[in-house]
Amino acid sequence: MLERGNMLKALQAVERNQGAAGVDGMEVGQLRKHLQERWAAIKEQLLKGKYQPRPVRRVDIPKAGGGTRMLGIPTVLDRLIQQAIHQILSPSWDSEFSVHSYGFRPGRSAAQAIKAVQKHVHGGRRWVVDMDLEKFFDRVNHDVLMARVARRVKDQRMLKLIRRYLESGIMLGGLVEQRTEGTPQGGPMSPLLSNILLDDLDKELEKRGHKFCRYADDCNIYVGSRRAGERVMKSLTGFLREKLKLTVNLTKSAVDRPWKRKFLGFSLTAEKASRVRVAPQSVKRFQDKLRVKFREGRGRNLRTFTESLKPLLRGWAFYFSVAETRNVFEDLDQWIRRKLRCMEWRKWKRRRTRQRRLIALGLDRERARASAFNGRGPWRNSGASHMNAALPTTYFRKLGLILLSEQVDWQTALRTARSL
């Protein structure tokens, strides 16, 4: 782990990923200088098994389905060491992980997972056991996890170091809370450790001959009937409780049709040859996120604001480009353009200003006057023919607005070309 080439690779990964400072306030840009001054002493502590990680800085972020998720932000030095550990341990385990595991693994993605789901459903398994592990990353049992790590890692210093990272405290408001369970998300090791623990679940499902997909702590098992699904849910709930000390959240878990549930933000259509679609909940969350952006953008220059939307639109389109139902992207494009027209209508404020701007954008004087003085609200006007004529799609193209439908088509074409 401490070999020079591995440490340099880890340093480059930490610098590339950037990220916030930990409890010591050290930024990523300060790490190289710190290592030049202190690395010899740090390395000696690691070799002697005396290195003590700093507590992680607690940050609570909102979850997509409500509530909050706790992140633990390690110091940049601890991120470096965790990354170096990850680079050594990951290749050793990854080759042994299940083919049905897709999360946090090189060369694997959510798109591959949802395509595997579609294949299971096409194969006649049209019921899903959708299991939600209750606060998985906060409830991991350290003894159970370390027993699985020790199956392959024999170096006692390494085992002790990993355990210390699991048990390093959490700082919030200047107070350190000691940790006796969990592996908070935020550090480079957390995804690998979660896969190591849940590999036992994968192996159990394979032994029973089930068709399933797991992405981190999201696990769906596909069966032929509701009765079979209820049987699987009951037996796996017991297995997870007894073998891995994990609890299934029965209020969020269910045995249901795949098209009534979502997996990784996706769902399926209900027809016999089910198609991949964006889950309605994912569309709503995306619109809610955009609404916040639109409120913040009121009064701003339209070109500048449109430019600020690019990373969000491009990222969303890239992730969901595997979806086979395209109307949702076209509907969102129309909704986004209407929100932009609404922003402009609000910015014009006075009726005379609205009339003048509509004329400048190509409407004849009579139509511009009738539209500006119609007494309707901003949202009603943003969807009216006069605003569509004044600010057509071509206008937004010139401003650089990304169209989700075009981005998705481009990603699909690229994916097809790569497969040929």
Side-chain angles (χ1 to χ4, degrees):
M1 187 269 284
L2 290 171
E3 191 268 329
R4 179 178 174 80
N6 188 57
M7 292 305 304
L8 282 173
K9 184 181 176 182
L11 177 59
Q12 290 164 0
V14 170
E15 289 177 334
R16 185 169 56 250
N17 294 336
Q18 289 297 307
V23 296
D24 60 356
M26 185 189 299
E27 302 287 345
V28 172
Q30 301 171 285
L31 180 56
R32 279 186 182 257
K33 184 179 179 182
H34 179 75
L35 292 174
Q36 289 170 358
E37 297 171 353
R38 296 279 301 151
W39 178 243
I42 295 167
K43 184 176 180 180
E44 185 178 0
Q45 289 179 342
L46 288 164
L47 287 169
K48 290 181 177 179
K50 294 182 179 180
Y51 180 80
Q52 191 66 47
R54 300 289 298 273
V56 297
R57 180 168 64 86
R58 176 171 174 165
V59 177
D60 293 319
I61 61 170
K63 291 174 68 174
T68 59
R69 173 180 285 112
M70 186 190 78
L71 294 185
I73 310 299
T75 65
V76 290
L77 175 60
D78 284 325
R79 290 213 290 276
L80 171 73
I81 296 169
Q82 285 194 36
Q83 179 65 30
I85 295 171
H86 181 278
Q87 290 169 182
I88 293 297
L89 299 190
S90 182
S92 174
W93 257 287
D94 194 74
S95 60
E96 302 296 327
F97 284 151
S98 169
V99 295
H100 304 289
S101 167
Y102 293 89
F104 307 121
R105 296 182 61 191
R108 303 207 135 217
S109 65
Q112 292 172 333
I114 197 64
K115 282 297 184 181
V117 164
Q118 185 182 34
K119 186 177 179 181
H120 296 327
V121 174
H122 284 181
R125 297 171 183 266
R126 295 171 69 81
W127 289 88
V128 61
V129 182
D130 185 359
M131 295 182 59
D132 182 274
L133 297 178
E134 189 169 4
K135 296 184 177 179
F136 170 74
F137 285 95
D138 299 338
R139 300 282 176 83
V140 169
N141 184 286
H142 291 172
D143 292 334
V144 173
L145 173 57
M146 288 308 300
R148 277 138 187 85
V149 175
R151 290 173 182 173
R152 190 158 300 187
V153 176
K154 302 305 177 185
D155 188 315
Q156 292 301 311
R157 295 168 300 177
M158 179 67 81
L159 290 171
K160 186 184 293 184
L161 180 59
I162 294 172
R163 182 110 195 186
R164 282 177 177 169
Y165 273 119
L166 289 173
E167 294 177 348
S168 61
I170 303 171
M171 181 175 284
L172 179 64
L175 298 175
V176 177
E177 176 186 335
Q178 294 305 310
R179 193 165 68 212
T180 57
E181 61 180 4
T183 169
Q185 299 174 78
M189 279 201 312
S190 182
L192 174 61
L193 294 177
S194 68
N195 273 336
I196 290 172
L197 180 63
L198 291 174
D199 188 54
D200 275 26
L201 172 62
D202 297 342
K203 296 296 191 287
E204 179 67 19
L205 289 170
E206 287 175 343
K207 188 172 74 175
R208 298 184 186 186
H210 288 307
K211 301 293 184 182
F212 68 98
C213 283
R214 184 178 65 78
Y215 193 101
D217 58 327
D218 288 331
C219 186
N220 280 5
I221 303 102
Y222 295 86
V223 295
S225 67
R226 177 183 286 277
R227 188 173 180 181
E230 290 170 349
R231 206 164 48 237
V232 169
M233 176 73 81
K234 183 178 179 180
S235 64
L236 287 180
T237 299
F239 172 83
L240 288 164
R241 183 178 61 249
E242 294 166 15
K243 299 293 185 181
L244 301 181
K245 309 300 182 188
L246 296 171
T247 304
V248 174
N249 187 334
L250 296 177
T251 60
K252 293 185 178 180
S253 302
V255 176
D256 209 339
R257 296 292 195 179
W259 45 88
K260 294 183 180 180
R261 307 294 292 182
K262 68 178 179 68
F263 182 58
L264 305 177
F266 293 93
S267 187
L268 296 174
T269 59
E271 65 233 34
K272 187 174 182 180
S274 295
R275 293 175 294 158
V276 177
R277 66 186 178 111
V278 182
Q281 302 95 313
S282 300
V283 176
K284 183 181 182 303
R285 284 199 299 271
F286 185 54
Q287 287 181 305
D288 289 343
K289 189 178 290 187
L290 283 171
R291 283 189 181 96
V292 173
K293 292 280 289 183
F294 284 121
R295 281 196 295 270
E296 293 171 350
R298 288 181 184 176
R300 288 178 60 187
N301 175 272
L302 191 59
R303 183 181 294 276
T304 304
F305 177 74
T306 300
E307 191 69 24
S308 74
L309 291 178
K310 278 186 176 180
L312 182 60
L313 298 178
R314 189 177 284 122
W316 201 84
F318 176 80
Y319 182 81
F320 286 106
S321 61
V322 71
E324 296 167 322
T325 56
R326 300 308 174 92
N327 59 311
V328 64
F329 302 108
E330 294 166 0
D331 291 346
L332 280 169
D333 281 334
Q334 292 176 11
W335 181 80
I336 289 167
R337 290 195 296 271
R338 184 171 180 180
K339 293 292 284 186
L340 291 170
R341 293 183 185 111
C342 187
M343 280 178 58
E344 284 296 275
W345 186 266
R346 287 178 184 276
K347 195 165 65 176
W348 296 339
K349 292 183 180 178
R350 295 182 178 85
R351 293 176 177 179
R352 294 291 181 188
T353 304
R354 289 167 178 166
Q355 179 182 350
R356 189 167 62 252
R357 291 296 299 141
L358 289 172
I359 292 171
L361 288 166
L363 267 65
D364 63 71
R365 184 174 295 276
E366 185 177 340
R367 186 182 181 190
R369 177 178 174 78
S371 301
F373 285 81
N374 64 26
R376 299 178 187 135
W379 184 245
R380 183 85 175 272
N381 274 288
S382 67
S385 60
H386 56 269
M387 284 298 282
N388 278 271
L391 300 175
T393 302
T394 52
Y395 180 87
F396 293 114
R397 283 184 190 276
K398 290 176 182 177
L399 293 180
L401 178 67
I402 287 177
L403 298 184
L404 296 172
S405 53
E406 291 182 358
Q407 281 286 306
V408 168
D409 289 340
W410 181 79
Q411 289 293 338
T412 302
L414 183 62
R415 193 180 294 113
T416 303
R418 284 174 177 169
S419 66
L420 295 176

